[in-house]
Amino acid sequence: MTTRIRVVDDHELLAHSLAYALQGRGFAATPLVVTDIEAARDELLADLPDVVLLDLQLGGAGHGQTLVRPLTEAGIRVLIVSGVTDSCEIAATIEAGAVGFVSKVHAFEVLLETAEAVARGERIMTDDARHTLLGELRRHRAASRAGRRPFDSLTSREREVLHGLCHGESVAVIAAKCVVSVATVRTQVRAILVKLGVGSQLEAVAMAHRHQWYDDEGTTLRTA
């Protein structure tokens, strides 16, 4: 039976080029140009190809990493084909079940040969390489947890104040929103600085950003 491959990318030229080249090597390869990540997931799970070549950076459609686990749990072999260089981001896809990673910076022939190897059922990642990546991911997560630990000591009101500062709100604006005096907010800011071990509001905000303490929507504070 011919191996069925879907090339999942938000760049139409690469998706079609890679699919066409794989067709020339005897595989049933078709492109899936992503504009909606949930629709792409549903289509792939309905289609159930043998292999998915997955980009992680899908533009405004979303992040390809969210597709890895549902696809691998459905029995699909997922090869990451992406320009991502963050080793921890790559490691997270391996942890989620991806069989390997090939960078888009490689020559097209390298992308094609790696995809073909996965389609033939060959292993493209050694155990040592896998363990190294996952070990780095574990260390990164441990460091992130340690970095966010000082935030656990903040009171709910102090969290609210810091959240406002992180979104560019002044002390006066925060006071108005919380229906308290400016002096009260300034006292809370001082407490925040002491607990975080920093000397200024700017440093506190930088620390919150660095440790991804809050989400981009401003609805759920990250403390884990």
Side-chain angles (χ1 to χ4, degrees), residues 180-204:
V180 296
S181 69
V182 169
T184 296
V185 174
R186 284 177 177 158
T187 298
Q188 292 162 343
V189 169
R190 286 195 293 272
I192 291 168
L193 301 186
V194 170
K195 290 179 178 180
L196 298 187
V198 296
S200 69
Q201 294 180 31
L202 184 60
E203 288 181 78

Side-chain angles (χ1 to χ4, degrees), residues 65 68-69 72 90-98 130 134 137-138 141:
Q65 184 178 327
V68 177
R69 193 172 298 280
T72 58
I90 295 166
T93 68
I94 302 302
E95 182 184 57
R130 177 184 172 85
L134 295 180
L137 179 61
R138 286 192 295 271
R141 286 174 174 167

Side-chain angles (χ1 to χ4, degrees), residues 154-162 178-180 184 188 192:
L154 300 180
T155 66
S156 59
R157 182 50 61 88
E158 289 165 355
R159 290 168 184 252
E160 189 174 355
V161 170
L162 179 56
C178 296
V179 196
V180 296
T184 296
Q188 292 162 343
I192 291 168

Side-chain angles (χ1 to χ4, degrees), residues 44-204:
L44 291 167
L45 292 177
D47 184 36
L48 289 179
D50 301 296
V51 176
V52 164
L53 310 182
L54 177 64
D55 188 13
L56 293 181
Q57 298 170 319
L58 297 174
H63 200 287
Q65 184 178 327
T66 63
L67 295 176
V68 177
R69 193 172 298 280
L71 297 183
T72 58
E73 288 179 347
I76 300 169
R77 297 196 298 280
V78 177
L79 170 66
I80 305 302
V81 182
S82 180
V84 167
T85 58
D86 187 321
S87 58
C88 287
E89 190 171 347
I90 295 166
T93 68
I94 302 302
E95 182 184 57
V99 299
F101 170 87
V102 59
S103 175
K104 283 185 176 180
V105 303
H106 291 313
F108 185 78
E109 187 65 22
V110 174
L111 303 184
L112 187 58
E113 289 176 355
T114 307
E116 187 175 2
V118 172
R120 291 196 302 262
E122 299 175 8
R123 292 184 62 187
I124 64 165
M125 175 174 282
T126 66
D127 288 338
D128 284 347
R130 177 184 172 85
H131 291 156
T132 297
L133 269 177
L134 295 180
E136 185 174 346
L137 179 61
R138 286 192 295 271
R139 289 189 293 274
H140 171 76
R141 286 174 174 167
S144 294
R145 286 193 296 270
R148 289 197 294 268
R149 199 164 292 132
F151 295 95
D152 293 343
S153 64
L154 300 180
T155 66
S156 59
R157 182 50 61 88
E158 289 165 355
R159 290 168 184 252
E160 189 174 355
V161 170
L162 179 56
H163 186 273
L165 295 176
C166 288
H167 282 79
E169 296 174 355
S170 67
V171 167
V173 169
I174 295 171
K177 288 177 62 176
C178 296
V179 196
V180 296
S181 69
V182 169
T184 296
V185 174
R186 284 177 177 158
T187 298
Q188 292 162 343
V189 169
R190 286 195 293 272
I192 291 168
L193 301 186
V194 170
K195 290 179 178 180
L196 298 187
V198 296
S200 69
Q201 294 180 31
L202 184 60
E203 288 181 78

